[in-house]
Amino acid sequence: MKSIKNIENFLILNPWRQGNYQLIQKKYSKRWLFEDITKWLKSDDIIMIHGPRQIGKTTLLYMLMNFLIQTEEIDPEDIFYFNAEDTLLQT
């Protein structure tokens, strides 16, 4: 049953995969890094975002997810979000 709980927790953290876009469609303040990152999205390179707590890393990711779904027409089921610090994924 642990694997079922893990799948449930994954879906809670990735609601856009089930058509719930509220989390990523909020009106966010423009992030200076957003434009730079969108230029790299089609490359094979890995983009790593790091920094201190509370500076907008997760907000930037939500903005990018919304951009991919709305502008690039990426299927929401192809977008996976994991936060290693989230207690839901540490069970």
Side-chain angles (χ1 to χ4, degrees):
M1 290 300 175
K2 187 174 183 177
S3 62
I4 292 174
K5 185 66 174 167
N6 287 340
I7 291 170
E8 291 171 357
N9 290 343
F10 172 76
L11 292 175
I12 289 169
L13 296 172
N14 291 266
W16 49 88
R17 295 176 56 83
Q18 296 181 333
N20 183 355
Y21 300 103
Q22 289 177 328
L23 183 64
I24 60 174
Q25 288 184 328
K26 293 180 183 176
K27 295 291 182 193
Y28 295 110
S29 298
K30 190 76 166 177
R31 299 289 193 263
W32 65 271
L33 196 53
F34 181 80
E35 298 296 327
D36 290 339
I37 291 175
T38 57
K39 294 175 189 174
W40 287 92
L41 289 177
K42 293 188 180 183
S43 79
D44 290 335
D45 295 328
I46 295 172
I47 301 168
M48 185 171 96
I49 302 168
H50 67 95
R53 296 174 57 89
Q54 302 292 311
I55 63 165
K57 297 180 300 292
T58 302
T59 298
L60 181 60
L61 287 175
Y62 289 153
M63 290 173 66
L64 287 167
M65 286 184 255
N66 190 45
F67 171 80
L68 290 171
I69 293 169
Q70 299 297 323
T71 306
E72 299 294 316
E73 299 180 353
I74 301 295
D75 186 343
E77 289 196 16
D78 291 336
I79 298 175
F80 299 85
Y81 172 75
F82 295 95
N83 178 348
E85 291 183 356
D86 199 304
T87 56
L88 284 175
L89 296 178
Q90 296 176 0
T91 59

